Amino acid sequence: MPSVDGIETLTILMVGRVDGALLSPALWLGDLGALVQWIAPDIDELNGLARDGLMAPTHVVIDLDAMGGILPAFDSLRKLRDTRPDLPVILVSGDLAVDDFSLERLALCDASLRAPVAFSSLEYALTEAREVNNPAWVARLKDLRAGL
């Protein structure tokens, strides 16, 4: 099985049902040495993560389908991205046509994966989110705030 560089230093927060779409990715990551934590797929839980920052994950992986889809989760995702811009966010949904690692959705996430998630996609998303897309989001947000 391939590995993510420095995976043993990662703390991945899974937002979803333990028996849902994130179960296999969580098991893969745990087997490779990452610390995997879970919170319920609930808007209040997601808002709490944005509000208090008590958890210190290196990445957040959100089962968007378990959250009820993009419409119910949209405002909470925007709030999370605004209050914790340096926290890489990866969305997972069966409604996505393809995996997306572009900069097009930075206001909501650093990468989005089609469920069921392939390990190679997850591996790439973790690295791309941390090393490329999230730094681009942080810089973009800094520029936007400086322009106000």
Side-chain angles (χ1 to χ4, degrees):
M1 182 183 295
S3 67
V4 177
D5 289 339
I7 194 155
E8 61 281 347
T9 65
L10 301 183
T11 300
I12 312 294
L13 179 63
M14 299 290 190
V15 181
R17 292 186 305 273
V18 176
D19 62 346
L22 301 181
L23 177 59
S24 290
L27 293 173
W28 297 331
L29 294 168
D31 286 348
L32 291 172
L35 176 61
V36 177
Q37 300 173 330
W38 290 86
I39 63 172
D42 180 83
I43 296 299
D44 290 335
E45 292 283 345
L46 195 55
N47 287 338
L49 178 63
R51 182 177 50 255
D52 55 35
L54 292 176
M55 296 183 185
T58 57
H59 295 76
V60 175
V61 180
I62 300 171
D63 181 347
L64 197 54
D65 299 334
M67 298 289 297
I70 189 62
L71 290 178
F74 184 86
D75 289 338
S76 296
L77 289 169
R78 287 291 305 126
K79 181 178 179 181
L80 179 61
R81 296 297 277 172
D82 286 342
T83 59
R84 307 269 314 264
D86 60 333
L87 180 60
V89 175
I90 299 169
L91 299 180
V92 174
S93 175
D95 290 337
L96 296 170
V98 296
D99 297 338
D100 184 357
F101 309 103
S102 73
L103 302 177
E104 297 300 315
R105 297 180 181 163
L106 284 183
L108 297 176
C109 65
D110 296 294
S112 52
L113 303 176
R114 178 169 170 69
V117 176
F119 182 82
S120 59
S121 295
L122 177 63
E123 178 184 36
Y124 188 73
L126 290 169
T127 302
E128 191 74 1
R130 178 178 57 185
E131 296 178 6
V132 178
N133 292 4
N134 191 258
W137 171 246
V138 170
R140 185 180 295 177
L141 197 58
K142 182 180 175 184
D143 290 345
L144 286 170
R145 289 178 176 165
L148 294 178

